[in-house]
Amino acid sequence: MYACVCHAVTDDDVRDHVRSGACSAKEVRSACGMRPGCGTCVGRIRDLIEEHFATDAVATAAA
């Protein structure tokens, strides 16, 4: 699925950058080389970042 249609950035692209250390929508957008567009991707990127850290916290607690 596309996180950003304007720049053809997928959810997987976002997840890869978050795993590599991006912690904000701004950092993900920068890592993907995204320029300002319509802005509708920001919410989706934030959701993916939150999902990553929630999953990471659950995995850490289970270990």
Side-chain angles (χ1 to χ4, degrees), residues 6-36:
C6 296
H7 299 286
V9 175
T10 66
D11 289 5
D12 289 337
D13 295 330
V14 173
R15 288 184 185 103
D16 289 344
H17 289 297
V18 173
R19 281 191 289 268
S20 295
C23 296
S24 69
K26 184 176 182 177
E27 290 176 354
V28 170
R29 290 173 56 124
S30 178
C32 290
M34 297 167 64
R35 298 181 187 180

Side-chain angles (χ1 to χ4, degrees), residues 23-59:
C23 296
S24 69
K26 184 176 182 177
E27 290 176 354
V28 170
R29 290 173 56 124
S30 178
C32 290
M34 297 167 64
R35 298 181 187 180
C38 71
T40 58
C41 61
V42 175
R44 179 73 180 136
I45 292 170
R46 286 181 182 153
D47 289 345
L48 290 166
I49 292 169
E50 289 177 20
E51 176 185 292
H52 169 80
F53 287 109
T55 303
D56 191 44
V58 169

